[in-house]
């Protein structure tokens, strides 16, 4: 996960914003307790969302109180208390950040120094939560194999990351796991992989790196892809959003449905539009300049 899963802030109730920020801080503190202080630099919005969703599905209340932390050492701030679930999410955040750095290094990007911040946390996570780390490692390895094979199917390309998220749902939910929860996590994992691939399209073309959209459609720029395949892309993401909505209606929420619904039903579509709109504006600029 790469920080794409976030609320649609203009439509977020104040009470939900307060809870979301408290969960975000709680995960940050959970990372520190599980994987060490350096690993906290990898904190993402995605894991804060998982904290809201999983606490809901598990029926575990979130205790929020004013606390101090490294970045709020003078004034206190509302923060969620670190429980066992939050510690596990801290380990998950660290593992994903660690493998993201590994992937960046393999792609020729700068990431060696940043990876050092996660080396120790990675080892601590493996020791504390070996089953969780095994799920992440298997998903990362499966994703690498698909990309090495230059798979031109968008669905097959996204499947390892989506399956990893679905299996994580079973790990976290244990006896409360369900078909709808599995499918919801699968959809979110698939969306994250695809929106990241779409966002990185031009960079991947420039580096001649793997990108499922490029192999599927052959466009030499993201602008060209969006112009030629707008209908296909809208159908692809629209289908995901429809399934997410249907799965969500069948899942029980214990204390706050508004926050989860805002992120899934408004936040994901808004982020998709943002990624696509940015490309369209770049296209207009290039055309205006005669490029």
């Amino acid at each position: 996960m790469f920080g794409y899963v976030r609320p649609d802030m203009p439509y977020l109730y104040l009470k939900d914003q307060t809870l979301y920020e408290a969960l975000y801080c709680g995960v940050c503190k959970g990372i520190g307790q599980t994987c060490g202080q350096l690993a906290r630099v990898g904190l993402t919005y995605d894991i804060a969302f998982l904290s809201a969703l999983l606490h809901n599905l598990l029926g575990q209340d979130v205790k929020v109180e004013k606390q101090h932390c490294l970045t709020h050492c003078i004034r206190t701030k509302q923060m969620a208390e670190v429980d066992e679930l939050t510690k596990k999410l801290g380990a998950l955040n660290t593992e994903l950040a660690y493998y993201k750095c590994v992937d960046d290094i393999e792609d020729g990007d700068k990431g060696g120094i940043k990876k050092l911040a996660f080396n120790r946390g990675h080892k601590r996570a493996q020791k504390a939560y070996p089953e969780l780390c095994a799920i992440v490692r298997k998903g990362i390895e499966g994703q690498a194999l698909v990309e090495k094979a230059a798979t031109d199917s968008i669905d097959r390309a996204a499947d390892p990351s989506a399956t990893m998220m679905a299996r994580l749902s079973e790990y976290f939910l244990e006896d409360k796991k369900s078909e709808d929860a599995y499918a919801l996590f699968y959809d979110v994992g698939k969306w994250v992989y695809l929106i990241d691939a779409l966002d990185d399209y031009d960079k991947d073309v420039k580096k001649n790196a793997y990108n499922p959209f490029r192999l599927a459609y052959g466009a030499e720029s993201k602008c060209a892809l969006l112009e030629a395949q707008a209908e296909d892309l809208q159908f692809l993401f629209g289908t995901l959003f429809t399934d997410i909505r249907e799965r969500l209606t069948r899942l029980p929420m214990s204390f706050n449905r508004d926050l989860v619904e805002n992120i899934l039903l408004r936040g994901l579509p808004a982020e998709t539009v943002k990624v696509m709109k940015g490309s369209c504006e770049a296209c207009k600029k290039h055309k205006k300049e005669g490029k």
Side-chain angles (χ1 to χ4, degrees):
M1 304 181 87
F2 308 96
Y4 292 104
V5 185
R6 59 180 70 192
D8 186 12
M9 295 303 292
Y11 292 90
L12 191 64
Y13 294 121
L14 181 59
K15 66 178 180 65
D16 299 325
Q17 182 177 347
T18 300
L19 174 59
Y20 179 74
E21 291 175 353
L23 290 169
Y24 186 83
C25 290
V27 172
C28 185
K29 298 194 79 168
I31 294 171
Q33 290 186 26
T34 304
C35 299
Q37 301 305 319
L38 278 177
R40 293 169 76 171
V41 301
L43 175 64
T44 68
Y45 295 109
D46 311 41
I47 305 301
F49 157 70
L50 287 182
S51 182
L53 178 60
L54 288 168
H55 276 97
N56 258 308
L57 295 178
L58 287 167
Q60 295 181 8
D61 193 19
V62 177
K63 297 180 180 179
V64 178
E65 59 183 16
K66 286 188 175 182
Q67 301 178 37
H68 291 283
C69 74
L70 289 175
T71 57
H72 298 87
C73 53
I74 299 177
R75 299 179 62 182
T76 58
K77 184 179 180 182
Q78 295 284 0
M79 301 182 190
E81 185 178 280
V82 177
D83 53 19
E84 182 58 26
L85 173 57
T86 310
K87 291 179 182 179
K88 290 180 180 179
L89 288 170
L92 173 60
N93 192 102
T94 301
E95 286 298 278
L96 294 173
Y98 172 83
Y99 284 113
K100 179 66 166 61
C101 288
V102 171
D103 185 59
D104 288 343
I105 294 171
E106 291 177 351
D107 287 344
D109 295 334
K110 295 179 180 179
I113 295 178
K114 190 175 181 180
K115 177 175 171 290
L116 293 175
F118 303 114
N119 281 341
R120 186 175 180 183
H122 169 61
K123 293 177 181 178
R124 288 177 63 172
Q126 288 184 312
K127 183 177 181 181
Y129 304 106
E131 184 181 351
L132 183 154
C133 294
I135 293 172
V136 175
R137 184 177 64 254
K138 185 174 181 179
I140 297 297
E141 291 172 349
Q143 194 63 64
L145 290 174
V146 165
E147 295 182 3
K148 187 177 181 180
T151 302
D152 61 359
S153 165
I154 293 173
D155 288 334
R156 289 203 304 272
D159 183 68
S161 292
T163 299
M164 177 185 72
M165 284 301 301
R167 289 175 177 165
L168 284 171
S169 78
E170 295 182 323
Y171 168 79
F172 283 110
L173 294 175
E174 298 180 338
D175 60 333
K176 292 191 176 182
K177 64 185 179 181
S178 68
E179 179 183 341
D180 288 315
Y182 186 96
L184 177 66
F185 275 70
Y186 184 96
D187 288 340
V188 173
K190 182 175 181 178
W191 178 85
V192 169
Y193 179 83
L194 293 180
I195 202 65
D196 181 62
L198 185 60
D199 201 18
D200 287 347
Y201 193 93
D202 288 332
K203 183 177 73 173
D204 291 338
V205 169
K206 184 177 180 180
K207 294 164 53 180
N208 197 29
Y210 176 80
N211 189 294
F213 290 109
R214 186 186 182 191
L215 289 179
Y217 297 113
E220 287 306 311
S221 71
K222 184 162 60 170
C223 290
L225 172 69
L226 292 172
E227 286 184 348
Q229 307 298 336
E231 187 174 336
D232 278 8
L233 293 175
Q234 289 172 3
F235 178 79
L236 173 65
F237 287 110
T239 301
L240 276 176
F241 297 148
T242 297
D243 195 59
I244 286 173
R245 180 181 294 276
E246 291 179 357
R247 299 293 180 176
L248 191 56
T249 60
R250 295 198 286 267
L251 288 171
M253 296 290 160
S254 300
F255 62 87
N256 187 303
R257 178 175 287 271
D258 291 335
L259 175 57
V260 172
E261 288 189 343
N262 174 280
I263 295 173
L264 289 177
L265 305 183
R266 299 194 67 93
L268 301 195
E271 194 68 20
T272 303
V273 170
K274 179 181 176 181
V275 170
M276 293 184 175
K277 184 178 179 181
S279 302
C280 293
E281 290 177 348
C283 282
K284 291 177 182 178
K285 181 180 179 180
H286 286 185
K287 289 179 180 179
K288 186 176 181 181
E289 295 174 350
K291 294 183 180 180

